[in-house]
Amino acid sequence: MTTRPILIHPDPRLKTVADPVAEVDDPLRKLADDMLETMYAAPGIGLAAPQVGILQRMLVMDCVKEENAPPQPMVLINPEVVWSSDEKNVYEEGCLSIPEQFADVERPSEVEVTWTNLEGAAQSAKFDGLWATCVQHEIDHLNGKLFIDYLKPLKRQLITRRMQKLKREKARA
Ligand code: K1U
Ligand code: ZN
């Protein structure tokens, strides 16, 4: 397994709608392994393929928070939200492509999602709590949407300027 560099906002690849995965093959399984390795190393609770520059509809996540609980890595290919609760939940979100910036985002508190797994089989599950927040955040990435797109324009611009500065500093280092 290999860690891959994570793109930092602003980057046009983070604003692009990703393509559906046409075939579940060994290169895709290797990408999923690398994405899990990259997510755990960051550390993060989710990662979408566009964040590592691959414009395909695949995401990984593991929202287990308890220190001694076993990890629960999930790989979702071509995920789709097929049902959302009317009830909403606010969570202070972060993003590995927007480091050290956090803001409250309101989303449906429960969602039902369908996807294909790494064996090519159709799957479906209901998510709640942090899992629901995370899977919606990651599916947004597949649609070229970032959590800052839910914020007021001034706050979004402020964060974008901070990220431009961070990228300039990283390029000089
Ligand atoms: O998609 C990403 O950029 C990953 C992101 C996922 C996410 C976080 C919060 C709400 C919704 C989605 C992250 O993982 S940011 C890092 C983070 O939340 C975290 C890191 C270490 C321990 C616990 C959480
Ligand atoms: Zn993110």
mmCIF file of all heavy atoms in Angstrom, residues 43-46 51 91 93-96 133-134 137-138 141, ligand 1:
data_model
loop_
_atom_site.group_PDB
_atom_site.id
_atom_site.type_symbol
_atom_site.label_atom_id
_atom_site.label_comp_id
_atom_site.label_asym_id
_atom_site.label_seq_id
_atom_site.Cartn_x
_atom_site.Cartn_y
_atom_site.Cartn_z
ATOM 1 N N PRO A 43 -4.327 12.079 9.728
ATOM 2 C CA PRO A 43 -5.379 11.086 9.692
ATOM 3 C C PRO A 43 -6.710 11.736 9.337
ATOM 4 O O PRO A 43 -6.940 12.904 9.577
ATOM 5 C CB PRO A 43 -5.412 10.592 11.141
ATOM 6 C CG PRO A 43 -5.052 11.801 11.957
ATOM 7 C CD PRO A 43 -4.148 12.651 11.082
ATOM 8 N N GLY A 44 -7.612 10.890 8.772
ATOM 9 C CA GLY A 44 -8.947 11.346 8.438
ATOM 10 C C GLY A 44 -9.937 10.227 8.626
ATOM 11 O O GLY A 44 -9.558 9.075 8.914
ATOM 12 N N ILE A 45 -11.219 10.572 8.436
ATOM 13 C CA ILE A 45 -12.280 9.563 8.576
ATOM 14 C C ILE A 45 -12.900 9.235 7.217
ATOM 15 O O ILE A 45 -13.781 8.388 7.115
ATOM 16 C CB ILE A 45 -13.363 10.036 9.573
ATOM 17 C CG1 ILE A 45 -13.951 11.395 9.164
ATOM 18 C CG2 ILE A 45 -12.805 10.086 10.982
ATOM 19 C CD1 ILE A 45 -15.182 11.806 9.984
ATOM 20 N N GLY A 46 -12.460 9.946 6.174
ATOM 21 C CA GLY A 46 -12.972 9.686 4.837
ATOM 22 C C GLY A 46 -12.014 10.227 3.797
ATOM 23 O O GLY A 46 -11.112 11.026 4.114
ATOM 24 N N GLN A 51 -9.784 13.611 -4.431
ATOM 25 C CA GLN A 51 -8.819 14.264 -3.535
ATOM 26 C C GLN A 51 -7.392 13.770 -3.771
ATOM 27 O O GLN A 51 -6.442 14.426 -3.348
ATOM 28 C CB GLN A 51 -9.207 14.033 -2.067
ATOM 29 C CG GLN A 51 -10.486 14.761 -1.669
ATOM 30 C CD GLN A 51 -10.847 14.511 -0.226
ATOM 31 O OE1 GLN A 51 -11.440 13.494 0.103
ATOM 32 N NE2 GLN A 51 -10.479 15.424 0.650
ATOM 33 N N TYR A 91 -22.865 19.480 12.043
ATOM 34 C CA TYR A 91 -21.576 18.941 12.491
ATOM 35 C C TYR A 91 -20.478 19.911 12.053
ATOM 36 O O TYR A 91 -20.533 20.458 10.946
ATOM 37 C CB TYR A 91 -21.347 17.551 11.869
ATOM 38 C CG TYR A 91 -20.189 16.806 12.480
ATOM 39 C CD1 TYR A 91 -20.354 16.024 13.618
ATOM 40 C CD2 TYR A 91 -18.910 16.909 11.935
ATOM 41 C CE1 TYR A 91 -19.273 15.353 14.198
ATOM 42 C CE2 TYR A 91 -17.826 16.249 12.503
ATOM 43 C CZ TYR A 91 -18.022 15.470 13.630
ATOM 44 O OH TYR A 91 -16.955 14.818 14.198
ATOM 45 N N GLU A 93 -17.488 20.404 10.356
ATOM 46 C CA GLU A 93 -16.740 19.579 9.398
ATOM 47 C C GLU A 93 -15.339 20.136 9.129
ATOM 48 O O GLU A 93 -15.091 21.336 9.233
ATOM 49 C CB GLU A 93 -17.517 19.480 8.068
ATOM 50 C CG GLU A 93 -18.854 18.801 8.252
ATOM 51 C CD GLU A 93 -19.527 18.403 6.951
ATOM 52 O OE1 GLU A 93 -18.878 18.412 5.885
ATOM 53 O OE2 GLU A 93 -20.725 18.065 7.023
ATOM 54 N N GLY A 94 -14.470 19.207 8.754
ATOM 55 C CA GLY A 94 -13.142 19.555 8.269
ATOM 56 C C GLY A 94 -12.963 18.871 6.932
ATOM 57 O O GLY A 94 -13.869 18.164 6.461
ATOM 58 N N CYS A 95 -11.825 19.070 6.299
ATOM 59 C CA CYS A 95 -11.577 18.436 4.995
ATOM 60 C C CYS A 95 -10.074 18.324 4.809
ATOM 61 O O CYS A 95 -9.342 19.294 5.052
ATOM 62 C CB CYS A 95 -12.192 19.281 3.875
ATOM 63 S SG CYS A 95 -11.965 18.573 2.230
ATOM 64 N N LEU A 96 -9.633 17.146 4.380
ATOM 65 C CA LEU A 96 -8.191 16.953 4.194
ATOM 66 C C LEU A 96 -7.663 17.806 3.038
ATOM 67 O O LEU A 96 -6.471 18.049 2.967
ATOM 68 C CB LEU A 96 -7.893 15.466 3.955
ATOM 69 C CG LEU A 96 -8.255 14.546 5.136
ATOM 70 C CD1 LEU A 96 -8.019 13.079 4.762
ATOM 71 C CD2 LEU A 96 -7.455 14.917 6.387
ATOM 72 N N THR A 133 -22.880 11.996 8.107
ATOM 73 C CA THR A 133 -22.211 13.257 7.739
ATOM 74 C C THR A 133 -21.065 12.967 6.774
ATOM 75 O O THR A 133 -20.908 13.628 5.741
ATOM 76 C CB THR A 133 -21.664 13.953 9.020
ATOM 77 O OG1 THR A 133 -22.771 14.251 9.857
ATOM 78 C CG2 THR A 133 -20.911 15.212 8.692
ATOM 79 N N CYS A 134 -20.257 11.975 7.124
ATOM 80 C CA CYS A 134 -19.056 11.680 6.334
ATOM 81 C C CYS A 134 -19.408 11.200 4.926
ATOM 82 O O CYS A 134 -18.826 11.675 3.943
ATOM 83 C CB CYS A 134 -18.206 10.646 7.069
ATOM 84 S SG CYS A 134 -16.611 10.383 6.293
ATOM 85 N N HIS A 137 -20.452 14.117 2.859
ATOM 86 C CA HIS A 137 -19.283 14.962 2.551
ATOM 87 C C HIS A 137 -18.478 14.336 1.405
ATOM 88 O O HIS A 137 -18.050 15.030 0.479
ATOM 89 C CB HIS A 137 -18.445 15.092 3.831
ATOM 90 C CG HIS A 137 -17.154 15.832 3.708
ATOM 91 N ND1 HIS A 137 -16.901 17.013 4.365
ATOM 92 C CD2 HIS A 137 -16.014 15.551 3.022
ATOM 93 C CE1 HIS A 137 -15.682 17.434 4.086
ATOM 94 N NE2 HIS A 137 -15.115 16.552 3.274
ATOM 95 N N GLU A 138 -18.296 13.007 1.470
ATOM 96 C CA GLU A 138 -17.475 12.334 0.441
ATOM 97 C C GLU A 138 -18.204 12.269 -0.902
ATOM 98 O O GLU A 138 -17.576 12.446 -1.960
ATOM 99 C CB GLU A 138 -17.084 10.925 0.910
ATOM 100 C CG GLU A 138 -16.304 10.857 2.215
ATOM 101 C CD GLU A 138 -15.095 11.770 2.271
ATOM 102 O OE1 GLU A 138 -14.507 12.052 1.214
ATOM 103 O OE2 GLU A 138 -14.748 12.234 3.381
ATOM 104 N N HIS A 141 -17.747 15.390 -2.680
ATOM 105 C CA HIS A 141 -16.456 15.460 -3.399
ATOM 106 C C HIS A 141 -16.593 14.868 -4.805
ATOM 107 O O HIS A 141 -16.003 15.376 -5.766
ATOM 108 C CB HIS A 141 -15.373 14.690 -2.650
ATOM 109 C CG HIS A 141 -14.654 15.461 -1.578
ATOM 110 N ND1 HIS A 141 -13.982 16.633 -1.817
ATOM 111 C CD2 HIS A 141 -14.493 15.212 -0.255
ATOM 112 C CE1 HIS A 141 -13.432 17.078 -0.687
ATOM 113 N NE2 HIS A 141 -13.733 16.241 0.276
HETATM 114 O O1 K1U B 1 -13.053 14.096 2.850
HETATM 115 C C1 K1U B 1 -12.212 14.535 3.604
HETATM 116 O O2 K1U B 1 -11.622 15.571 3.343
HETATM 117 C C2 K1U B 1 -11.934 13.834 4.904
HETATM 118 C C3 K1U B 1 -12.625 14.480 6.078
HETATM 119 C C4 K1U B 1 -13.978 13.818 6.263
HETATM 120 C C5 K1U B 1 -14.967 14.509 7.144
HETATM 121 C C6 K1U B 1 -14.634 15.098 8.330
HETATM 122 C C7 K1U B 1 -15.608 15.702 9.115
HETATM 123 C C8 K1U B 1 -16.902 15.692 8.716
HETATM 124 C C9 K1U B 1 -17.230 15.120 7.528
HETATM 125 C C10 K1U B 1 -16.269 14.514 6.735
HETATM 126 C C11 K1U B 1 -11.745 14.278 7.311
HETATM 127 O O3 K1U B 1 -11.481 13.187 7.683
HETATM 128 S S1 K1U B 1 -11.132 15.677 8.109
HETATM 129 C C12 K1U B 1 -10.248 15.010 9.498
HETATM 130 C C13 K1U B 1 -11.131 14.535 10.585
HETATM 131 O O4 K1U B 1 -12.315 14.797 10.602
HETATM 132 C C14 K1U B 1 -10.588 13.689 11.673
HETATM 133 C C15 K1U B 1 -9.256 13.436 11.778
HETATM 134 C C16 K1U B 1 -8.773 12.640 12.809
HETATM 135 C C17 K1U B 1 -9.615 12.119 13.729
HETATM 136 C C18 K1U B 1 -10.962 12.372 13.649
HETATM 137 C C19 K1U B 1 -11.455 13.160 12.606
#
